Amino acid sequence: ESWMSNLEALVEQLNPENMSNNFRLWLTSMPARTFPVQVLQNGVKMTNEPPSGLRANLLRSYSVITDDVFKQSLKPEVFKPLLFGFCFFHAVVQDRRKFGPIGWNIAYGFTPEDLTVCKEQLMLFVNQYEAVPYKVLNFLGAKINYGGRVTDDKDKLLISCILKTYMCREAVVEKDTYRYSTSGMYYPPPAASVAEFIEFIRGFPLFPMPEAFGLHE
């Protein structure tokens, strides 16, 4: 915060006549009230917004996953369905915001980094433990990685309940019959590669029913 005034002074000193035509100043920032207004007004703004829709969000998550990630797992039959569960959870908690106070009491800014941390922790626990510590994965995901942003008491209970649907023993042991919702449309597929996961996700409806978000009851 104390450096923002220095940043503004540096930008003011930039003289186009003394700079190369190839010079560009790239600045990245989280939302900050102290960010210099003049710098914002004189620059080109770009934002990285989460995709709109459950299917688009899942496709984006799998666009940064490679088959090499699957190869790093010592138990791919466990890692793959649980990773899909985390990706599905990530899409659900983001897309619930479009339902306003029905989705969340407060709109939270969950990020792809939250999912990345969960993915790395999942890999660690699956590889190092003979029995998958589901309680630990649920606690880390719902209380710390994502839950660290959640401030409302009811939302804290909600996010824990949502994650339990995807991060559970049944998703691995009963993978042929386990479903996330009553329609049976959403479940961890028996896919072997990233391409197969993407193909499965593309089969989801463009406009999912409320049951995909746990809003059908």
Side-chain angles (χ1 to χ4, degrees):
E1 180 177 341
S2 61
W3 187 77
M4 291 296 186
S5 58
N6 295 335
L7 171 63
E8 186 173 14
L10 288 171
V11 173
E12 287 179 353
Q13 295 172 9
L14 296 177
N15 187 350
E17 296 180 359
N18 300 329
M19 294 186 299
S20 168
N21 291 332
N22 295 323
F23 175 80
R24 299 292 185 275
L25 175 62
W26 288 82
L27 298 172
T28 60
S29 173
M30 296 289 287
R33 295 181 180 178
T34 56
F35 197 91
V37 176
Q38 184 177 359
V39 176
L40 284 175
Q41 292 176 340
N42 294 335
V44 177
K45 277 77 70 178
M46 293 186 295
T47 60
N48 187 13
E49 296 290 339
S52 177
L54 184 70
R55 186 176 70 176
N57 206 308
L58 277 165
L59 289 173
R60 178 179 179 181
S61 294
Y62 271 88
S63 69
V64 296
I65 298 174
T66 65
D67 289 330
D68 291 336
V69 175
F70 294 158
K71 294 177 182 178
Q72 294 172 15
S73 175
L74 302 179
K75 304 171 188 174
E77 72 282 358
V78 175
F79 178 77
K80 291 178 184 179
L82 293 182
L83 176 60
F84 185 84
F86 264 131
C87 292
F88 202 95
F89 166 76
H90 178 76
V92 166
V93 296
Q94 286 194 323
D95 229 35
R96 279 183 70 103
R97 291 180 298 184
K98 69 184 180 184
F99 295 101
I102 298 177
W104 297 107
N105 287 336
I106 300 173
Y108 303 102
F110 302 114
T111 68
E113 287 71 28
D114 299 329
L115 176 60
T116 299
V117 173
C118 288
K119 179 179 66 176
E120 293 174 353
Q121 291 173 340
L122 176 64
M123 179 72 75
L124 178 67
F125 286 118
V126 169
N127 284 351
Q128 290 192 356
Y129 291 87
E130 182 176 351
V132 180
Y134 294 103
K135 289 185 178 180
V136 176
L137 291 170
N138 275 280
F139 181 84
L140 290 174
K143 301 294 185 182
I144 298 178
N145 301 336
Y146 286 85
R149 305 177 186 275
V150 180
T151 55
D152 183 82
D153 290 341
K154 298 296 189 297
D155 287 342
K156 289 180 180 180
L157 292 174
L158 175 60
I159 196 170
S160 295
C161 292
I162 293 174
L163 183 56
K164 287 179 181 178
T165 302
Y166 315 110
M167 206 53 44
C168 61
R169 180 176 177 273
E170 291 77 11
V172 175
V173 178
E174 303 173 10
K175 54 187 176 182
D176 293 332
T177 57
Y178 185 73
R179 299 294 184 264
Y180 295 152
S181 61
T182 54
S183 70
M185 180 179 298
Y186 303 104
Y187 59 92
S193 64
V194 172
E196 292 180 7
F197 275 102
I198 291 177
E199 182 180 358
F200 175 77
I201 294 169
R202 291 189 186 279
F204 288 168
L206 188 59
F207 302 103
M209 297 294 290
E211 68 161 27
F213 309 99
L215 298 174
H216 56 295
E217 296 182 353

